[in-house]
Amino acid sequence: MIEKLKDMFKRVYDAEVEKVFFAPGRVNLIGEHTDYNGGNVFPCALTFGTYALIKVRTDKKIRFYSENFEALGIIEVNIDEIEYDCKHDWANYPKGVIWAFENKGMKIDSGFDILFYGNIPNGAGLSSSASIEVVTGVVLRDLYNFPINMVDIAERSQEAENQFIGVNCGIMDQFAIAMGKKDCAILLDTNTLKYEYASIKLNGASIVIANTNKRRGLADSKYNERRTECETALVNLQTVLKINSLCELNEEEFEENRHLIKDEVCAKRAKHAIYENQRTLKAVKALENSDIELFGKLMNKSHISLRDDYEVTGIELDTLVEIAWKRPGVIGSRMTGAGFGGCTVSIVKDEFVDDFIKNVGVEYKSKIGYAAVFYVAQIGDGARKIY
Ligand code: GLA
């Protein structure tokens, strides 16, 4: 793979590659739409992701090229002019990270040529944008010797997404991609950024990701709408309770105070966030106790809550999950990521994985009219320099 990319670099820039970096995609096992409500998430890094190949320059130019957006060619900027430009399309992501670094006093004084190639299915909700952001952060740290750690890189990448791109996401994706560890998921408390690794031992079962192939379309505006609804619920609760985020409450505390939330829709959103946070903690305990069945049941409940209370699923995700629930050997199945399209994540007993892929695939296609794509997920390490 890397050899092919090096040839590509030579073709595009007529120069030899000096350094190579990689950042994975991510899948979230449980803990959805909790990361901007001060809750816990439980994602892991994948083995597919984004490669970045570099040659440093002595002048002030940065040239970007992505093999995934070949038609857009080389995009050139001057390091003193890092501003959002819709003509620069995908290149606004790495530009945003440079901008976020500069905002924190990490100025760069010479440029580089960079080639990206990603094998994360596009628009699948497996965080291709966070992956390109985090790999850019690792590149900048290496090229300019910035004294920062991987959590800092995750935070700068999130700032790029929030303030430069304008998507008000939480920290989960960038954190999972920066801090991922082979064969482990990360229990991250998004309120404190305390985290621990949990080794994923599924006792003869695998994680299967299924892409609905429904593009996320309206997702970003709906995403911001959900955030606002949660904020409204929080403000209502704060008229009586001393809390800074929804997930400080447990289920009982929520039920006792639910009446404070004036709007029923906002109450449902808050309910999801609070119950999902507790489910995440229970799921991690279940895994520690090797109770995979319970882990699976909590995944299923997570999906139902995302469907009925948070309302971020849609016909494609619901169909894929509901077909999966009926197949033999399926321990749990739910949507993963922001929702409205993208992927589901399922835990399937190894001996049923082939049956799952075949039969869920056939039924999905007959109901939805186009095919889903399946991946048996390998959990990989976080972002890194390859050489
Ligand atoms: C997207 C966001 C994350 C998180 C999830 C939902 O992936 O980027 O921060 O909010 O949606 O859990």
Side-chain angles (χ1 to χ4, degrees), residues 21 23 52 64 93-98 101 112 114 116 130-142 153 157:
F21 300 82
F64 301 97
Y93 289 96
K95 279 171 62 185
V97 178
I98 298 169
F101 270 61
F112 52 88
I114 187 163
F116 292 100
S131 178
I132 194 172
E133 287 158 1
V134 173
V135 80
T136 306
V138 178
V139 165
L140 296 177
R141 175 175 73 169
D142 184 86
I153 291 178
S157 301

Side-chain angles (χ1 to χ4, degrees), residues 35-46:
D35 69 343
Y36 49 87
N37 287 308
N40 290 278
V41 293
F42 197 52
C44 41
L46 297 168

Side-chain angles (χ1 to χ4, degrees), residues 157-177:
S157 301
Q158 186 200 8
E159 283 158 15
E161 183 88 37
N162 292 167
Q163 296 165 35
F164 197 83
I165 302 294
V167 176
N168 221 354
C169 66
I171 187 81
M172 170 170 74
D173 303 347
Q174 290 81 2
F175 196 99
I177 287 167

